[in-house]
Amino acid sequence: MSTTRIRTVAAGFAVLALTGGLAACSSSKSSSGSAGAAASSAAPSVSGTITVFAAASLQGTFTQLGKNFEAAHPGTTVKFNFGGSDTLAQSINSGAPADVFAAASQATMTTVTKAGGNADTPTVFVRNTLEIAVPNGNPKHLTSLQSLTAPGVKVALCAPTVPCGAAAQTALKDAGVSLTPVTLEQDVTSALTKVELGEVDASIVYQTDVKGAGGKVTGVNFPEAAKAVNSYPIATLAKAPNPAGAKAFEQYVESPDGIAVLTAAGFQTPAAGSAAPSGSAAPSGSAAASGSAAPSAPAAPSGSPAPSAS
């Protein structure tokens, strides 16, 4: 075969190889582009306003989670409506526009579920334990639920329809204590504020509320709290104006980053919350106060109950 013919055949093979390579490259790019498009369609972009109805005890942590979520999803705005879970549930069932509901008890979430208000099955994301909040220094020397019945001791409780109030009633019943509060509050934040302002001598609130008060009050643990642990469920709502944003926020709350913010504030993960909370079960008759625990003071509150709608 002549040298010229050999060169011609070699050049032909080179062209074929180059064409095949380009075709393979083009096919690879097309396949990659299709996969990217599929992934994009599977994960819709999140934007717009996301309205979250959440229990008052979640105010500090959810406000932070909202800021974190907005930073991770530019173009979104998270708006909150904090309050008593029962009031929020009633508002949702009455048609109030909301995307997500995070309640302080499964009972209040159930009222929304039974009304067909949830788009998905509620998930318990954290739990919370009760504590007695007293002014710093514990001037009335309150050390247990029994000591709350001492003469002259004024106590604020959440209303029985509110999760913190229902849990308090469970704990009081377990302790065999009959207590007449001077005020019944519609959410746990209001009950705690009564102590901070010096209007009452004590209130039964959540451990997270005492911790979130930033040193304005002292917490007194009591053993009966272990039998009144509240589970916090969250769900995307069926009539959510922004369903994609709602689901994304719900998933963020349940993510490791979201749970880290919540546990740092004193909330327990569901597994931890199902057992007796660490540090809350003090020996019978002497609850350990995170600050001071002194002898029991004398019995029976002065004044009659005056429900407050704060």
Side-chain angles (χ1 to χ4, degrees):
M1 185 181 290
S2 68
T3 302
T4 300
R5 183 167 177 76
I6 291 172
R7 286 176 178 169
T8 301
V9 171
F13 278 122
V15 170
L16 286 172
L18 178 59
T19 304
L22 289 173
C25 182
S26 174
S27 173
S28 173
K29 285 182 179 178
S30 173
S31 174
S32 173
S34 298
S40 176
S41 62
S45 60
V46 179
S47 62
T49 299
I50 303 163
T51 303
V52 179
F53 279 31
S57 51
L58 292 168
Q59 184 164 353
T61 49
F62 266 41
T63 298
Q64 182 59 55
L65 291 176
K67 292 177 181 177
N68 295 352
F69 184 86
E70 290 173 349
H73 299 277
T76 61
T77 300
V78 183
K79 291 186 176 179
F80 293 102
N81 180 10
F82 295 107
S85 296
D86 62 325
T87 301
L88 296 176
Q90 290 170 15
S91 296
I92 292 168
N93 288 346
S94 296
D99 295 298
V100 177
F101 181 35
S105 75
Q106 290 175 307
T108 46
M109 178 63 78
T110 297
T111 62
V112 175
T113 302
K114 285 184 175 179
N118 296 328
D120 54 15
T121 302
T123 303
V124 172
F125 61 104
V126 286
R127 289 182 176 160
N128 211 349
T129 305
L130 297 175
E131 197 166 35
I132 300 170
V134 298
N136 287 328
N138 197 2
K140 294 285 186 175
H141 309 301
L142 304 173
T143 61
S144 64
L145 291 179
Q146 289 80 359
S147 67
L148 298 181
T149 63
V153 175
K154 294 184 291 184
V155 179
L157 292 180
C158 294
T161 54
V162 180
C164 65
Q169 293 302 320
T170 297
L172 289 165
K173 183 178 180 180
D174 185 63
V177 173
S178 178
L179 179 64
T180 303
V182 296
T183 179
L184 290 171
E185 299 299 317
Q186 296 307 307
D187 61 64
V188 71
T189 302
S190 300
L192 180 68
T193 300
K194 295 292 183 181
V195 180
E196 293 177 341
L197 296 177
E199 295 178 10
V200 297
D201 303 304
S203 181
I204 300 177
V205 297
Y206 296 117
Q207 289 184 349
T208 54
D209 296 299
V210 173
K211 186 171 183 177
K216 294 178 182 178
V217 299
T218 293
V220 178
N221 295 323
F222 55 94
E224 297 83 3
K227 295 183 179 180
V229 178
N230 270 16
S231 297
Y232 283 57
I234 187 170
T236 293
L237 297 173
K239 295 181 180 179
N242 186 350
K247 195 62 184 175
F249 183 78
E250 179 189 346
Q251 290 174 341
Y252 176 67
V253 169
E254 298 174 304
S255 73
D257 287 346
I259 296 300
V261 171
L262 289 155
T263 54
F267 287 96
Q268 305 150 8
T269 60
S274 59
S278 172
S280 69
S284 190
S286 75
S290 47
S292 68
S296 226
S302 58
S304 54
S308 165
S310 56

